[in-house]
Amino acid sequence: MAITAGMVKELRETTGAGMMDCKKALTATEGDMDKAVEFLREKGLATAQKKAGRIAAEGLCKVLVSDDDKKAVVVEVNAETDFVAKNEKFQAYVAEVAAQAMVTDAADIEAFMEEPWKADTTKTVKEELAGQIAVIGENMNIRRFKQVTEENGFVASYTHMGGKIGVLVDVETDVVNDDIKEMAKNVAMQAAALKPVYTCRDEVDQEYIEKEKEILTVQAKNEKPDANDKIISGMVMGRINKELKEICLLDQIYVKAEDGKQNVKAYVDSVAKANNAKITIKSFVRFETGEGIEKKQEDFAAEVAKQMGN
């Protein structure tokens, strides 16, 4: 039976499911509208699409590390409320997503969503997500994942606030022992707490530095119009260095430094020296739940008044 645009439109209006999902359902059921509705409900797509407009900015960041610590992954899965984020079903689902992301060859989240779901290969990751939305009853989203592999050392991990923040740190080292693992965890905790943007200064784009110099030079000249170029240059470089110490992980003041002056690189070097090791912090990944997502602000007093007709 030929599937017409009108049939797709009707099914879409009935279920709230996406156009391609409706076409797929009608094709699978040979145009039987009732069976197509059942098909979408079984897949969880009918209810999932109706919830898709809701903002999912809560949720969990989950880290998973291999037994030999050579490979790790961090994922972020969002839900609408913190209540659901603490739900055991949701947490079990997020753990399954992390397990899938640990072994995936997908280069991005779009490819990841289209691959077969490990626990049931008759479904895609996207279809399993839709089913979970139907069961849990909130809009959900697998937002992102990142794998880290280090053959010449290990990957350290840290989870903060029950999964609000997940961090991985890539540590290249020729010695692996408890002291060095503790150091790596401390560095991961530093990244969680102080939100660095870069690992070290070498990663900072030179164009960004030059643009900052331009802005800060104008700022310094406005503050000290009578100062010569040497003074202005000194003011500008001082401010750039201060900024780099805030945004580069290895340049940040180590939060546990007893003198309040030691930076993270000096701390790592001191541990390396004490253990006769060569250690390099190659990179880090920091996911924070809902980071960059505009959350809907609820005015509960106004909502109650509206419901009461005031």
Side-chain angles (χ1 to χ4, degrees), residues 18 30 70 72 80 93 106 121-122 130 157 180 183 187 189 195 198 202 206 216 223 239 251 256 266 307-308:
E30 298 180 341
K70 299 288 187 184
E80 291 178 55
Y93 170 65
T121 54
T122 64
S157 67
I180 292 171
M183 173 277 295
V187 172
M189 290 171 69
K195 300 178 71 169
Y198 305 99
D202 293 342
Q206 194 56 40
L216 293 171
E223 290 174 13
R239 289 174 185 180
D251 279 322
K256 292 185 178 181
Q307 292 293 331
M308 294 175 69

Side-chain angles (χ1 to χ4, degrees), residues 222-236:
N222 287 336
E223 290 174 13
K224 294 192 175 184
D226 298 328
N228 61 39
D229 289 347
K230 186 176 180 181
I231 291 172
I232 295 297
S233 177
M235 290 172 66
V236 169

Side-chain angles (χ1 to χ4, degrees), residues 293-306:
I293 299 174
E294 186 178 342
K295 298 184 183 183
K296 185 178 178 183
Q297 299 299 315
E298 301 282 7
D299 186 338
F300 291 107
E303 186 65 23
V304 171
K306 182 181 176 182

Side-chain angles (χ1 to χ4, degrees), residues 3 17 32 38-39 41 71 85 98 140 143 153 181 189 220 228 237 240:
I3 307 302
D32 187 310
E38 287 181 15
F39 179 93
R41 289 189 65 194
K71 184 177 181 180
M140 289 157 50
R143 187 184 183 196
K181 285 185 176 181
M189 290 171 69
N228 61 39
M237 290 313 298
I240 284 177

Side-chain angles (χ1 to χ4, degrees), residues 62 66 76 91 204 217 256:
K62 175 75 174 177
S66 64
E76 179 186 353
Q91 292 181 353
V204 183
T217 298
K256 292 185 178 181

Side-chain angles (χ1 to χ4, degrees), residues 8-22 36-37 40-41 44-53:
V8 174
K9 182 174 180 287
E10 182 185 344
L11 184 59
R12 189 179 186 190
E13 288 173 352
T14 302
T15 63
M19 191 178 297
M20 294 306 295
D21 291 322
C22 288
V37 171
L40 289 170
R41 289 189 65 194
L45 294 169
T47 51
Q49 292 297 329
K50 289 179 181 179
K51 295 181 177 74

